[in-house]
Amino acid sequence: MPHPSNATLPTLYYRLGMERPHTHLFQVEMRVGGWPGDHVDLALPAWTPGAYKIVDNARNLRGFEVRGLDGQALACDRQDLHRWRVHHGGGGFTVTYQVYADKMTIHQAQLNAQHAFVNGCMVFLYPVGGQHCPSELTVEAPESWKIATGLEALGGNRFKAPTYDDLIDCPLEIGTFQEAEFHVDGTRYLVAWNGTAPMDRVRLVDGLRRLVETETAFWGKAPFASYTFLYNVTADPYLNGLEHKNSTAIQGPIDLDRNDKGFFALTAHELFHVWNVKRLRPIGFGPFDYSRPAHTTALWVVEGLTEYYTDLMCLRAGITTRSEYLRGIADNLVHLEQSPGRKFTTLEEASFITWNFGDDRWNGAVNYYLKGSLAGLALDLEIRTLTDNGKSLDDVMRVLWERYGAPDLPYDPEEVEAVIEEVVGAPMGAFFDHHLRSTQDTDWAEVFAKAGLRLSIDRETPSLQARLSPKEGGMLIEDVRAQGAAEAAGLMTGDLLVAIGDRKATPALTGGLDAYLKPGDTLPVYFFRNDRLHATEVTFGGDRHYSILPAPASTPLQERILQSWLASPSRVPTYVR
């Protein structure tokens, strides 16, 4: 199928309408002035960069019509779930269609009477082979609604992007959101806050400014002219975010009074992705093939190291304290220890199969965010130790940026390992084989000793070793931890616990078992399965909890490593002006 040359790329013109927002239907028009050959395939992306899952976006597209620029109907054939073949005969054409959108997730879209959130992968068709075409967008929204996006404004409600890839990499929030603005080193940062509660402008901007200052100082400078934070306050049970080149979309139960640390940590994570993945990226992560998964073994770099630096950036920005930082690492060790999948799947394998994890995900695979962040910690302390604290993981990231990120060259995962060895000046194969390509547990006490710290077991609490949720009449088993106490007792997902011993199964009881028993105790457990009452004996397991504390004595090198690794912020808090 003919594709235009780079010198003759036509501009893709889009119109996004929302005439009756309460119907959740976008009206979309795409106009192409001309295309080589006599036909072209139009497609919707099957996935959104940063969200590692295939999604049938085209399932919500309806009313597809195509006409030549003279208004005459053109023939069109559906090729598969995501593609339509337009027979344009060498001339220009206009496509019109509707998109049903009522799913407020970061990689989807929503339109209702209150607002519109647009992830372009779900809404805007593209000509296959034309992802590099320049694009323009006109938004027709209700009169009182505003538009927040990373797209370059042309005036009014018109925007442009250098390519289709850039168009869909700029989500839009459209509505009556609250706004804030600040500048760092001459770069403009915009905040759009869609929620019913008033935005705490001073607190929000202070935290964002500190993160921006810290992360741009880490990398050298901001690689964008402006940046937009899009926040949607929703009733979801957890926060979620998605990175983009010059913006981020974050949603969930945002509450600065109850969870400011989690909020700023997620924001720090998505902001760090501006460099690590949106520009410094593995092969397959741009240019994109939107029709199939982009498999890579490098998500330990993309997500794991980003997660490691998330907490460090918050520490360096003064958002968290050193004790809070170490507490978070200790909690991560607990989570990893309670993940049976770490015994079955290596870090590189987990990265590669993220597109099709099994239904019993964490029993069969390891979380590459979690294990990747801990591998990053171990790598950082290893580099500092091997170089007499002369180098760190910071140096590795900056070399990778200068060699691959800044010149916009995707890397092979093996090249990351080569750069690490270059910075260290010594072979690191044994380290990589253990942390990336092995399922063996790490001696974390030995890792922390490099910084003059000791890993201490705080306590061991009794545990059913299953994930429970409240349900009328008792506690529902959502997941059973492989090789844990519940599994050994014959319990399974879907069982409804009604009593443990002589006590009713409630959130208070199952969340505070240490008040009634200790690890190794055996009690009868009563439960319903298929509406029949059953009983079994459970020998409760023990879940360990850790603290990371200063060692009784440390060497000068260990002390230097600790102080440089967990350096205090060099700035005082700033406030919005």
Side-chain angles (χ1 to χ4, degrees), residues 150-165:
L151 291 169
E152 181 181 347
L154 293 175
N157 288 347
R158 293 177 57 239
F159 304 88
K160 72 173 184 178
T163 68
Y164 172 84
D165 286 343

Side-chain angles (χ1 to χ4, degrees), residues 193-477:
W193 180 283
N194 179 43
T196 56
M199 175 178 65
D200 188 339
R201 187 170 181 267
V202 171
R203 188 174 177 186
L204 175 65
V205 172
D206 173 50
L208 295 181
R209 185 196 299 272
R210 286 197 260 170
L211 288 176
V212 167
E213 290 173 345
T214 301
E215 296 198 17
T216 52
F218 176 88
W219 291 103
K221 65 178 182 179
F224 42 70
S226 66
Y227 189 88
T228 303
F229 298 93
L230 303 177
Y231 294 112
N232 270 284
V233 184
T234 68
D236 295 308
Y238 53 85
L239 295 170
N240 205 355
L242 189 62
E243 70 276 1
H244 301 278
K245 274 190 173 181
N246 66 349
S247 63
T248 184
I250 291 175
Q251 70 172 70
I254 301 173
D255 188 330
L256 295 185
D257 290 328
R258 296 183 179 181
N259 187 24
D260 60 330
K261 298 293 194 297
F263 168 80
F264 285 118
L266 179 55
T267 299
H269 181 104
E270 305 306 340
L271 182 62
F272 201 83
H273 272 318
V274 164
W275 295 269
N276 189 28
V277 78
K278 296 310 296 184
R279 292 167 175 86
L280 174 60
R281 65 194 188 279
I283 293 170
F285 277 45
F288 297 104
D289 181 346
Y290 296 113
S291 67
R292 59 183 181 181
H295 292 289
T296 180
T297 59
L299 290 184
W300 73 272
V301 178
V302 168
E303 299 294 356
L305 295 190
T306 295
E307 189 68 5
Y308 171 61
Y309 274 107
T310 290
D311 296 328
L312 270 183
M313 291 297 110
C314 289
L315 174 67
R316 295 176 185 179
I319 290 174
T320 57
T321 65
R322 181 182 292 194
S323 61
E324 288 171 331
Y325 174 76
L326 293 176
R327 176 73 266 161
I329 294 175
D331 289 343
N332 283 344
L333 291 177
V334 171
H335 294 320
L336 182 63
E337 195 170 85
Q338 295 177 8
S339 302
R342 78 187 193 282
K343 295 290 190 180
F344 300 102
T345 308
T346 70
L347 195 47
E348 285 190 339
E349 288 171 338
S351 170
F352 193 84
I353 67 172
T354 187
W355 299 85
N356 56 345
F357 275 126
D359 294 336
D360 195 18
R361 181 170 182 172
W362 302 129
N363 278 332
V366 71
N367 185 327
Y368 50 79
Y369 287 82
L370 174 62
K371 186 175 180 180
S373 69
L374 290 169
L377 182 153
L379 178 60
D380 199 359
L381 295 185
E382 183 77 358
I383 294 171
R384 293 173 188 269
T385 300
L386 293 176
T387 62
D388 195 36
N389 202 40
K391 299 290 184 179
S392 72
L393 187 55
D394 294 9
D395 298 288
V396 170
M397 300 304 291
R398 290 168 185 144
V399 171
L400 287 170
W401 172 254
E402 292 174 4
R403 194 166 297 175
Y404 300 101
D408 197 32
L409 298 172
Y411 59 77
D412 186 288
E414 292 181 356
E415 293 174 304
V416 175
E417 297 181 26
V419 167
I420 294 170
E421 292 184 330
E422 176 186 325
V423 169
V424 173
M428 295 280 289
F431 180 95
F432 299 136
D433 287 344
H434 171 74
H435 287 278
L436 307 184
R437 297 181 276 274
S438 167
T439 58
Q440 293 181 346
D441 285 335
T442 297
D443 184 343
W444 292 106
E446 181 179 295
V447 171
F448 292 113
K450 292 179 171 65
L453 298 170
R454 63 183 177 90
L455 184 63
S456 171
I457 299 177
D458 269 352
R459 65 194 187 281
E460 189 170 358
T461 57
S463 174
L464 190 62
Q465 297 173 333
R467 184 167 62 89
L468 310 176
S469 66
K471 187 176 181 180
E472 184 178 1
M475 298 294 292
L476 182 68
I477 297 182

